Amino acid sequence: MQLSASTPSNQIERNNSHQRVKPKLPPYGTQVGNPPNGVWVCIGADAWEAAQIIQRNHPDKSAIVLPDGHEPDQYRWPVKGPDVIICVTSTQSPERIHHLGEILIMAGADRVNVVGHINNLPEELCCFKFEKAEQIP
């Protein structure tokens, strides 16, 4: 956009590339309580339906969705503190589940358990737990 003396200030586009854009919440993420009271992250072909069923049957819990084709690091995950359950509704690659588990732990989850279609996953990918790094003397 070219600027001239007659360009109204409300039409000037500003380049704020130096500001970090905060990722958005995942679908249904705004419904997570503060503090959260149990969070389910639904992933897979039937993730949307699974989230709706969880919300209907367990109103004290929160169910959010990682849509197909989206990466976990595209979102800001509201999971600080509680145990989180990844509900896998269709076969997912071990790498995708691992990446999601890591992102949830980095977002503040104390523990992440994986349930659902997990027959193709190695056992160590069924539970992630935050472990404090040892302090170096």
Side-chain angles (χ1 to χ4, degrees):
M1 170 180 226
Q2 294 215 348
L3 300 179
S4 69
S6 62
T7 304
S9 61
N10 63 350
Q11 291 182 2
I12 297 173
E13 295 176 11
R14 295 193 173 114
N15 182 358
N16 292 327
S17 60
H18 66 280
Q19 293 178 347
R20 186 167 180 246
V21 177
K22 190 174 189 180
K24 63 183 179 177
L25 290 169
Y28 300 130
T30 58
Q31 298 176 9
V32 175
N34 190 9
N37 186 20
V39 178
W40 292 66
V41 177
C42 301
I43 180 175
D46 298 320
W48 294 93
E49 293 83 6
Q52 291 170 353
I53 290 169
I54 292 165
Q55 290 171 345
R56 192 170 40 249
N57 294 336
H58 304 282
D60 59 322
K61 306 292 182 204
S62 299
I64 52 184
V65 174
L66 175 60
D68 280 343
H70 291 221
E71 292 301 318
D73 48 10
Q74 288 179 260
Y75 296 101
R76 177 173 43 95
W77 297 94
V79 297
K80 296 198 182 343
D83 287 344
V84 175
I85 298 172
I86 299 175
C87 178
V88 183
T89 66
S90 62
T91 302
Q92 301 290 310
S93 72
E95 294 81 15
R96 183 163 171 80
I97 298 298
H98 184 260
H99 185 57
L100 177 57
E102 283 184 331
I103 292 289
L104 295 171
I105 292 293
M106 289 188 310
D110 292 333
R111 183 175 45 209
V112 177
N113 293 300
V114 182
V115 300
H117 291 268
I118 57 173
N119 294 339
N120 69 313
L121 299 178
E123 188 174 327
E124 63 269 12
L125 281 186
C126 293
C127 184
F128 297 82
K129 188 174 180 183
F130 174 76
E131 295 183 16
K132 294 182 180 178
E134 292 183 27
Q135 293 183 346
I136 300 174

